[in-house]
């Protein structure tokens, strides 16, 4: 049963329910919009991304709701970014490097509260070609731990197979589950 619906300009990806019952969603990469809407499907606040940037499909709200973190891409360099936004207005206050390409999902660090975990997918793309993957031999996927107040990199880990893209994350107690996307030239690999 559909309780409510809302037309959005492009495909939505990440979705977050706030304690008040409102919802946040962000456009799939490379996207240009962020939206807060109510349970009846009425938009409360739209935010269009700044020039030279694209949303990368995921967001995270701080425990106190004062900050929203968004995965983003610098369209000129392809570098991954974490947008630091005001929880009330969705306006960008700061941005930090994700220390990789193609940042996808980010979570609070269950093992070390006060930190963030970011999955950098590492898949090179160019803004003029959208989601078309280019130069997969240059993939650089990584998992990064950031300080949630300063953006300082506290750790970074890579898999031994550089053609596996880290994408989605989920905590189960102290264990972190990671969904991977294989980008090998030969599907048998």
């Amino acid at each position: 049963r559909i309780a409510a619906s809302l037309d959005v300009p492009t495909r939505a990806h990440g979705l977050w329910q706030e304690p008040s019952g409102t919802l946040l969603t962000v456009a799939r990469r490379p996207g240009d919009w962020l939206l807060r809407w109510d349970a009846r499907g009425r938009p409360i606040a739209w935010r269009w991304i700044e020039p030279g940037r694209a949303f990368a499909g995921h967001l995270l709200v701080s425990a106190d709701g004062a900050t929203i973190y968004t995965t983003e891409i610098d369209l000129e360099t392809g570098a991954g970014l974490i947008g630091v936004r005001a929880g009330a207005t969705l306006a960008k206050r700061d941005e930090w490097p994700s220390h990789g390409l193609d940042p996808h999902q980010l979570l609070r660090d269950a093992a070390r509260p006060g930190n963030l975990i970011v999955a950098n997918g590492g898949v090179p793309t160019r803004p003029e070609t959208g989601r078309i993957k280019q130069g997969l031999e240059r993939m650089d996927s990584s998992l990064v731990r950031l300080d949630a107040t300063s953006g300082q990199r506290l750790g970074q880990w890579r898999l031994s197979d550089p053609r596996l893209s880290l994408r989605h994350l989920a905590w189960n107690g102290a264990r972190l589950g990671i969904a991977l996307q294989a980008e090998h030239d030969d599907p048998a690999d």
Side-chain angles (χ1 to χ4, degrees):
R1 168 175 103 69
I2 298 173
S5 67
L6 174 68
D7 289 334
V8 291
T10 58
R11 188 176 132 193
H13 194 70
L15 186 67
W16 186 276
Q17 184 174 5
E18 297 178 289
S20 66
T22 57
L23 299 163
L24 291 165
T25 192
V26 64
R28 175 180 86 158
R29 75 176 166 86
D32 59 1
W33 58 268
L34 172 64
L35 168 65
R36 175 177 281 128
W37 49 296
D38 69 18
R40 293 185 204 159
R42 295 179 301 199
I44 296 169
W46 286 94
R47 183 60 66 168
W48 299 92
I49 199 153
E50 304 76 26
R53 302 291 186 256
F55 286 116
H58 283 272
L59 59 93
L60 172 70
V61 179
S62 64
D64 64 3
T67 304
I68 298 170
Y69 304 96
T70 53
T71 54
E72 302 181 10
I73 300 166
D74 178 321
L75 294 176
E76 185 176 329
T77 66
L81 301 167
I82 304 303
V84 183
R85 298 177 172 275
T89 66
L90 311 180
K92 187 180 273 187
R93 295 189 315 228
D94 200 357
E95 64 182 24
W96 305 326
S98 74
H99 302 282
L101 297 175
D102 185 30
H104 204 64
Q105 191 171 7
L106 72 165
L107 292 177
R108 283 188 212 102
D109 188 341
R112 295 190 174 133
N115 296 328
L116 305 174
I117 298 292
V118 181
N120 284 309
V123 177
T125 59
R126 292 294 312 145
E128 60 273 11
T129 60
R131 294 173 50 89
I132 296 174
K133 301 164 191 170
Q134 299 179 349
L136 291 175
E137 70 283 351
R138 295 180 288 116
M139 274 184 66
D140 185 21
S141 187
S142 65
L143 193 67
V144 175
R145 176 179 284 132
L146 299 175
D147 180 286
T149 57
S150 68
Q152 178 185 358
R153 180 176 47 184
L154 303 173
Q156 186 165 21
W157 302 269
R158 291 179 172 82
L159 298 172
S160 59
D161 183 343
R163 297 296 284 272
L164 293 175
S165 174
L166 290 96
R167 310 302 292 172
H168 290 108
L169 307 169
W171 285 104
N172 181 4
R175 292 184 180 186
L176 179 63
I178 303 170
L180 304 172
Q181 178 175 299
E183 296 291 349
H184 298 97
D185 294 328
D186 182 352
D189 290 340

